[in-house]
Amino acid sequence: MATQAHSLSYAGCNFLRQRLVLSTLSGRPVKIRKIRARDDNPGLRDFEASFIRLLDKITNGSRIEINQTGTTLYYQPGLLYGGSVEHDCSVLRGIGYYLESLLCLAPFMKHPLRIVLRGVTNDQVDPSVDVLKATALPILKQFGIDGESLELKIVRRGMPPGGGGEVIFSCPIRKVLKPIQLTDPGKIKRIRGCRYSVRVSPQMANRIVDSARSILNKFIPDIYIYTDHMKGVNSGKSPGFGLSLVAETTNGTFLSAELTSNPQGQGAAVLPEDLGRNCAKLLLEEIYRGGCVDSTNQSLALLFMTLGQQDVSKVLLGPLSPYTIEFLRHLKSFFQIMFKIETKPCGEELKGGDKVLMTCVGIGFSNLSKTLK
C-alpha cells in the first residue's frame, strides 16, 4: 500500500464501505484502483454507486472522480453536513448495507441527521433494519449517543427483489464520545424477536414461531416474539417472510440472529418451520460466540473506541469476523491506531467459545463541524 501526500491507495472492490467511511472521518483522500477490472462486467456496481451518492448527500464539498469504466475511484472527503436527507437505495442490497455506514458517521455531523431510506428492508445478505435497531442502537447509547432523537423506525417493509420498503433514521450529534469498559457480557435473561410477513398468509408467521420456540424453550422460558404483518401499501412490492431474534443479557448486551425466506423466483421455497428452527440455531451459535457486542456490530464498537477521548477503552468480543480483522488493518492505515488483543480461553468465568479482549486508547477525535449554540 503506497502512501503519497496523505492519500491512501488500494486495489480491488472489497471493503469499499470501510475505506470510504474511514476516509470521511479521517479527512484523508483515498484512491481505489482495479475495481473488478477482470470481470465480464467491470467497475462499480449499482449499489456501490448508490452508496457513493449517499455519501455525497450527507457531506459538503466531497470530490468524487470515477473513470469511464468505473474501475478507478478517487474520493476526497468533504465535511459531514447532515440535516434532512432522502435516499433511494439500490434494491440489489438491503438498507442495512447503507445504514451500517450511516451509524458510523451520524454522530459527527454538523447538523443532526434525519434520513429517509427506501429500498429492501430485509434480505439474506445484509443485516436487516430490525437487527440493527435492536443491537446497534444500544451500542451507540453505551458511547453516550442517546436521547429522544436517536430513532430507527420502519415505516414500510420491502423484500427482495422488488423492494418498496422505507425506514427513517435520526441521530443526535456529539462533540466527543465517552470511553467504554465492556468486559462482562453477563448471562442471557430473555429472548425477544420479531416475525414479519408481507404479501403472504399471516399464518406463515405463526408457523415460524412454534418451531423456533421448540428449540429455545429448552434453554430459557422468557421468550416473546412479536408479529409484524404489514398490508397494502406498507408491504412493499414482493412477497416474503422472516424472523429476527435478539437475546438480551443481564448486563445489557444484545446478541442477534435472523433469517429471511428466499426471494420470489430464486431458489427453492423455504418452509416456515425450517426457517424458525434454523434461526433459533443461529441465535444459539451467536450466544456461543458471545462477547459484549455481537458479530455484526464488532467494527462499529471498535471504530467508536478509536474515536473516543484519549482514555483507555476495553471491550470483550467473541471470535473476530474476517470483516472486523480487515477493519482493524484499515484503522491502522487511516488513524495509526493499534489495539492490544488478548485471547481469553473459555473456562469457569467465560462460557462458550474463546473470547478476545480488545484494548485501545482513543485518538481524542472531536467533532469540529458541530454547530456551536
Side-chain angles (χ1 to χ4, degrees):
M1 190 195 75
T3 309
Q4 42 162 56
H6 301 299
S7 160
L8 293 170
S9 177
Y10 292 102
C13 64
N14 285 348
F15 312 107
L16 180 87
R17 284 181 306 163
Q18 280 186 15
R19 289 163 184 169
L20 295 182
V21 164
L22 291 175
S23 165
T24 310
L25 287 169
S26 64
R28 298 179 69 176
V30 66
K31 184 172 189 177
I32 303 171
R33 296 170 297 111
K34 296 182 183 169
I35 301 174
R36 300 190 183 87
R38 298 188 170 194
D39 205 89
D40 293 341
N41 180 13
L44 291 164
R45 296 277 179 269
D46 284 352
F47 61 87
E48 291 164 334
S50 175
F51 178 73
I52 295 168
R53 278 196 294 275
L54 174 62
L55 276 183
D56 193 37
K57 282 180 187 174
I58 59 171
T59 56
N60 189 0
S62 292
R63 195 166 124 232
I64 300 155
E65 293 171 12
I66 302 171
N67 70 350
Q68 272 188 316
T69 52
T71 52
T72 305
L73 162 72
Y74 177 75
Y75 175 70
Q76 188 176 3
L79 288 173
L80 284 162
Y81 192 76
S84 278
V85 185
E86 289 192 12
H87 185 66
D88 291 325
C89 306
S90 164
V91 290
L92 298 172
R93 295 293 289 262
I95 288 178
Y97 176 83
Y98 302 88
L99 207 48
E100 275 186 302
S101 301
L102 285 174
L103 286 164
C104 299
L105 298 170
F108 309 107
M109 301 281 175
K110 185 177 173 71
H111 300 292
L113 180 69
R114 185 182 183 280
I115 186 163
V116 178
L117 295 168
R118 298 190 184 88
V120 173
T121 52
N122 305 79
D123 72 350
Q124 295 176 319
V125 190
D126 302 293
S128 69
V129 183
D130 303 272
V131 158
L132 289 175
K133 183 176 181 175
T135 59
L137 296 194
I139 292 173
L140 266 66
K141 287 175 183 165
Q142 298 272 15
F143 286 94
I145 306 159
D146 52 4
E148 287 178 11
S149 54
L150 179 65
E151 181 189 33
L152 179 53
K153 187 175 162 196
I154 302 174
V155 184
R156 298 175 183 163
R157 277 195 191 279
M159 305 292 281
E166 184 177 310
V167 301
I168 299 173
F169 172 57
S170 58
C171 180
I173 45 178
R174 290 287 175 267
K175 191 158 172 42
V176 286
L177 301 180
K178 61 183 193 191
I180 56 161
Q181 305 284 329
L182 295 177
T183 50
D184 180 16
K187 290 188 163 58
I188 305 291
K189 66 174 178 180
R190 60 169 167 233
I191 293 176
R192 293 287 176 265
C194 172
R195 59 191 192 235
Y196 49 87
S197 54
V198 291
R199 300 192 174 271
V200 295
S201 158
Q203 198 58 39
M204 291 284 196
N206 303 339
R207 287 164 60 188
I208 294 174
V209 174
D210 295 338
S211 58
R213 272 183 174 280
S214 68
I215 289 181
L216 296 174
N217 272 340
K218 296 172 190 169
F219 300 98
I220 191 169
D222 187 1
I223 303 170
Y224 195 89
I225 298 175
Y226 301 90
T227 305
D228 183 10
H229 180 72
M230 290 196 165
K231 294 178 179 172
V233 184
N234 293 343
S235 64
K237 296 174 183 172
S238 300
F241 56 89
L243 171 67
S244 61
L245 293 172
V246 178
E248 186 184 346
T249 70
T250 47
N251 289 358
T253 294
F254 294 87
L255 304 168
S256 65
E258 58 173 330
L259 266 185
T260 307
S261 59
N262 286 336
Q264 185 183 19
Q266 295 172 30
V270 180
L271 279 174
E273 285 81 5
D274 293 347
L275 186 127
R277 237 184 323 261
N278 293 339
C279 190
K281 287 174 183 169
L282 281 174
L283 182 70
L284 295 177
E285 189 181 329
E286 189 64 55
I287 291 169
Y288 175 80
R289 289 168 67 104
C292 296
V293 178
D294 71 342
S295 47
T296 356
N297 297 302
Q298 285 176 349
S299 50
L300 177 70
L302 294 176
L303 174 70
F304 284 167
M305 283 165 67
T306 304
L307 298 175
Q309 296 168 26
Q310 289 178 330
D311 202 345
V312 178
S313 285
K314 287 184 180 183
V315 69
L316 187 75
L317 301 176
L320 298 178
S321 66
Y323 189 79
T324 309
I325 293 167
E326 196 61 38
F327 189 73
L328 288 168
R329 291 181 186 136
H330 281 121
L331 280 177
K332 187 185 172 189
S333 310
F334 283 95
F335 290 108
Q336 291 77 48
I337 192 151
M338 306 236 330
F339 279 77
K340 181 182 171 196
I341 305 175
E342 299 169 71
T343 51
K344 298 271 183 187
C346 59
E348 283 302 306
E349 290 178 19
L350 297 170
K351 298 280 189 284
D354 293 348
K355 308 283 187 288
V356 185
L357 182 66
M358 310 287 288
T359 313
C360 84
V361 176
I363 58 165
F365 185 86
S366 179
N367 183 0
L368 297 173
S369 54
K370 182 173 187 269
T371 14
L372 296 169
K373 292 279 187 287

